[in-house]
């Protein structure tokens, strides 16, 4: 089984097709071999010129080696050996791509980063591809992503196709599409699928899967038809889906940060939350909706905190947090103390259990109101930290911001903004139903009529010290 990737350079192009070697991190003049859990991978370039260069990744699967001693999730001993999986491209190819082209899929190129960031004209061939469905499925999956289907022809009597595509896209995006969609075409994965598979799917699907018209089919097949995993994945996709932009003629709303900057409100919020944690002598903190790690940056300085974990639904945001916190430079002690997790705030996660405190700084207003009950269950009923610190904008204060028209929200991504009475009513109900007490504090300069620009609720588990 193999994948062929050809880069073409039209006349007067400001790059050479031979730059494909820089994008793949594999020199065109060399033969590259490596062993992966899926089999032996060989990469070579049968065609090399400035006008057109083709790279081939060939995967040689050892079917016996794959299953030897690994029958815990098998459909039976016989199924381990009598199986046509090794002879078609499927999840084996995805595993090999992830190991072999990790830097390329991350969009990195040491010597040609500008090209890695650009959409370039590629032709792709994947052969042989197992197809569970008709040839129209190929079009349904690839055409919405910008591909032209060249020759999706059947091979022999079985549902196996010679898949040929063309597209002008970033190479990183092409590889991510193939990583997800080739096993989806096959409707099979050779390994056991757990909740960790959701993280892999959303990482490779970020930026395109949430908007794909067949995202439910893709998600269902990618997660081996496990409904619970599919529902979790779709919920997380909904959290990261881009919001519709306003019409051009509508007045542009200033971002929340610009509105609040004169008040230093963001810094005041973070300081207030950190002070609550300090006063309550917590040793472990779960920062839900951690964003780029601004609160975590403050918390790292608190030596009393032995464990700090940030959770966010966006891979790119977590990557930014990773850089901001300099976790790539962290030693073993810091790695044990500070970590990041990709996760949904509206699905229970066993990893959230056992923390002294959880924080949600300007988070709840980004969640659809009808899904707040799921957040409450996952946080207050399942994880049950002894302390929860939550902040959210006070809608009453919006009239005091210059340039914010009446009825408008502070940020286009906000699903709602509550008045003080609305927030207190909701929080009191949550506390009463789940065995917490709750207190409220205004944040920022307080107006006699409209209150503070932000509001903080501190939930304490009843009976906790």
């Amino acid at each position: 089984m193999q994948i062929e990737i050809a880069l073409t350079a039209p006349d007067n192009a400001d790059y050479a097709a031979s730059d494909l070697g820089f994008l793949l991190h594999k020199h065109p003049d060399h033969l590259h071999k490596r062993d992966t859990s899926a089999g032996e991978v060989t990469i070579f370039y049968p065609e090399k010129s400035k006008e057109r260069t083709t790279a081939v990744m060939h995967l040689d699967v050892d079917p016996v080696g794959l299953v030897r001693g690994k029958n815990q999730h098998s459909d039976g001993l016989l199924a381990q050996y009598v199986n046509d999986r090794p002879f078609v491209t499927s999840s084996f190819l995805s595993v090999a791509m992830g190991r072999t082209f990790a830097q390329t899929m991350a969009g990195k190129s040491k010597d040609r980063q500008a090209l890695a960031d650009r959409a370039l004209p590629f032709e792709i061939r994947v052969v042989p591809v197992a197809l569970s469905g008709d040839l129209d499925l190929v079009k349904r999956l690839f055409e919405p992503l910008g591909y032209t289907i060249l020759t999706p022809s059947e091979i022999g009597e079985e549902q196996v196709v010679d898949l040929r595509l063309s597209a002008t896209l970033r190479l990183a995006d092409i590889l991510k599409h193939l990583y997800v969609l080739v096993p989806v075409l096959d409707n099979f994965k050779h390994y056991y699928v757990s909740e960790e598979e959701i993280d892999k799917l959303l990482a490779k699907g970020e930026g395109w899967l949430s908007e794909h018209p067949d995202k439910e089919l893709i998600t269902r097949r990618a997660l081996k038809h496990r409904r619970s995993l599919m529902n979790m994945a779709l919920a997380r996709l909904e959290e990261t889906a881009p919001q519709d932009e306003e019409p051009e003629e509508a007045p542009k709303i200033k971002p929340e940060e610009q509105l609040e900057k004169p008040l230093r409100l963001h810094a005041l919020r973070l300081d207030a939350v950190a002070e609550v944690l300090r006063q309550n002598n917590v040793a472990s903190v779960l920062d839900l909706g951690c964003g780029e790690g601004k609160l975590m940056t403050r918390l790292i300085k608190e030596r009393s905190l032995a464990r700090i974990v940030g959770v966010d639904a966006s891979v790119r945001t977590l990557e930014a947090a990773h850089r901001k916190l300099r976790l790539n430079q962290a030693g073993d002690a810091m790695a044990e103390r500070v970590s990041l997790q990709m996760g949904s705030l509206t699905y229970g996660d066993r990893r959230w259990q056992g923390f002294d405190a959880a924080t949600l700084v300007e988070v709840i207003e980004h969640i659809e109101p009808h899904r707040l009950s799921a957040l409450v269950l996952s946080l207050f009923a399942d994880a049950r930290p002894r302390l929860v610190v939550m902040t959210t904008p006070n809608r009453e204060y919006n009239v005091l911001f210059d340039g914010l028209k009446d009825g408008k929200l502070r940020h286009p991504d906000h699903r709602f903004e509550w008045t003080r009475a609305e927030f207190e009513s909701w929080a009191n109900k949550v506390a009463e139903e789940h065995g917490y007490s709750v207190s409220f504090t205004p944040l920022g300069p307080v107006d006699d009529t409209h209150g503070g620009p932000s509001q903080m609720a501190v939930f304490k588990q009843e009976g906790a010290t």
Side-chain angles (χ1 to χ4, degrees):
M1 63 181 73
Q2 66 186 36
I3 174 174
E4 303 173 12
I5 302 171
L7 173 62
T8 59
D11 293 341
N12 301 319
D14 59 353
Y15 65 93
S18 54
D19 288 337
L20 179 60
F22 292 106
L23 300 180
L24 293 174
H25 303 269
K26 304 289 186 290
H27 198 289
D29 293 337
H30 300 156
L31 182 69
H32 307 268
K33 286 181 176 286
R34 69 169 297 173
D35 290 324
T36 72
S37 60
E40 184 182 62
V41 173
T42 303
I43 299 172
F44 59 95
Y45 292 77
E47 182 180 24
K48 296 175 288 185
S49 72
K50 293 182 178 180
E51 294 75 28
R52 182 182 174 92
T53 296
T54 301
V56 175
M57 187 190 84
H58 179 83
L59 175 62
D60 186 13
V61 175
D62 175 8
V64 176
L66 279 170
V67 299
R68 185 179 290 120
K70 300 179 180 178
N71 64 344
Q72 63 268 34
H73 300 298
S74 170
D75 294 324
L77 292 174
L78 186 62
Q80 294 186 18
Y81 295 94
V82 184
N83 194 311
D84 65 351
R85 293 302 101 201
F87 308 110
V88 292
T89 52
S90 60
S91 53
F92 293 115
L93 186 72
S94 296
V95 170
M97 288 171 56
R99 300 290 187 273
T100 307
F101 295 139
Q103 288 183 288
T104 306
M105 295 174 78
K108 298 177 181 177
S109 176
K110 181 180 178 182
D111 299 300
R112 295 292 188 275
Q113 187 60 48
L115 281 186
D117 294 336
R118 281 175 54 181
L120 299 170
F122 288 97
E123 292 181 10
I124 306 99
R125 182 187 185 193
V126 189
V127 63
V129 176
L131 177 61
S132 177
D134 55 29
L135 291 176
D136 184 61
L137 180 61
V138 177
K139 296 181 180 180
R140 285 173 56 190
L141 294 182
F142 284 96
E143 285 186 346
L145 299 172
Y147 291 87
T148 299
I149 314 300
L150 299 179
T151 55
S153 54
E154 295 185 12
I155 302 175
E157 298 180 358
E158 301 296 330
Q159 281 292 89
V160 178
V161 299
D162 179 356
L163 179 61
R164 297 174 186 245
L165 311 165
S166 67
T168 300
L169 296 168
R170 290 194 319 145
L171 182 55
D173 294 330
I174 290 173
L175 293 179
K176 290 177 182 178
H177 297 158
L178 295 175
Y179 180 98
V180 172
L181 296 180
V182 167
V184 167
L185 287 171
D186 188 14
N187 199 18
F188 182 89
K189 283 195 172 180
H190 72 277
Y191 54 85
Y192 177 73
V193 169
S194 65
E195 289 186 16
E196 293 180 357
E197 195 69 13
I198 298 176
D199 291 347
K200 290 194 289 184
L201 172 63
L202 298 191
K204 298 301 186 294
E206 186 170 28
W208 64 270
L209 183 52
S210 65
E211 297 299 296
H212 198 290
D214 273 308
K215 65 181 178 183
E216 291 191 12
L217 179 146
I218 294 170
T219 303
R220 181 172 67 251
R221 287 188 169 201
L223 298 173
K224 295 181 76 169
H225 299 267
R226 294 189 60 186
R227 181 166 294 278
S228 62
L229 299 183
M230 174 186 167
N231 289 339
M232 291 174 65
L234 289 174
R236 287 170 59 177
L237 280 174
E238 185 179 332
E239 290 177 12
T240 58
Q243 300 302 301
D244 294 335
E245 294 183 0
E246 294 191 352
E248 289 184 7
E249 65 270 20
K252 193 172 183 179
I253 301 175
K254 290 184 178 182
E256 184 179 9
E257 295 80 4
Q258 289 298 320
L259 288 171
E260 298 176 348
K261 189 174 181 180
L263 306 177
R264 290 190 65 253
L265 186 54
H266 189 60
L268 289 172
R269 274 193 294 255
L270 298 180
D271 290 341
V273 172
E275 181 60 27
V276 170
L277 298 176
R278 190 180 302 115
Q279 290 177 357
N280 285 273
N281 301 314
V282 302
S284 57
V285 179
L286 186 68
D287 186 18
L288 299 175
C290 66
E292 297 182 1
K294 292 181 179 178
L295 176 61
M296 295 178 69
T297 300
R298 276 172 166 75
L299 298 184
I300 285 175
K301 300 173 184 178
E302 300 290 335
R303 296 190 178 184
S304 60
L305 290 173
R307 189 181 181 205
I308 307 167
V309 176
V311 178
D312 205 278
S314 168
V315 175
R316 292 182 182 177
T317 300
L318 289 174
E319 289 175 349
H322 193 276
R323 292 191 296 270
K324 184 179 183 66
L325 298 169
R326 299 182 180 179
L327 295 184
N328 59 322
Q329 304 172 19
D332 292 342
M334 178 64 78
E336 288 185 11
R337 183 177 177 235
V338 182
S339 61
L340 298 168
Q341 296 175 0
M342 185 179 179
S344 167
L345 303 191
T346 55
Y347 270 86
D349 193 323
R350 291 189 299 272
R351 296 175 297 178
W352 294 10
Q353 295 175 354
F355 285 84
D356 290 343
T359 59
L360 298 94
V361 180
E362 307 299 286
V363 169
I364 61 170
E365 64 272 12
H366 294 270
I367 299 174
E368 293 290 353
H370 71 274
R371 300 189 64 212
L372 284 176
S373 59
L375 168 65
V376 170
L377 288 175
S378 61
L379 177 58
F380 290 93
D382 186 26
R384 292 192 63 78
R386 64 176 175 88
L387 183 76
V388 177
V389 187
M390 187 180 298
T391 76
T392 193
N394 169 22
R395 191 179 75 213
E396 298 167 76
Y397 198 91
N398 288 358
V399 297
L400 301 180
F401 285 116
D402 291 335
L404 188 62
K405 290 196 173 182
D406 186 37
K408 292 293 185 179
L409 304 182
R410 297 184 198 178
H411 194 285
D413 190 46
H414 285 183
R415 273 50 166 193
F416 66 89
E417 288 172 5
W418 276 333
T419 64
R420 288 168 291 174
E422 288 170 334
F423 183 43
E424 290 178 12
S425 174
W426 176 82
N428 279 319
K429 182 180 179 182
V430 169
E432 180 180 356
E433 291 179 349
H434 296 281
Y436 285 77
S437 62
V438 61
S439 59
F440 303 93
T441 305
L443 299 177
V446 177
D447 180 81
D448 290 340
T449 302
H450 304 292
S454 192
Q455 45 193 337
M456 179 171 67
V458 178
F459 299 82
K460 293 184 179 181
Q461 195 176 120
E462 292 181 351
T465 57

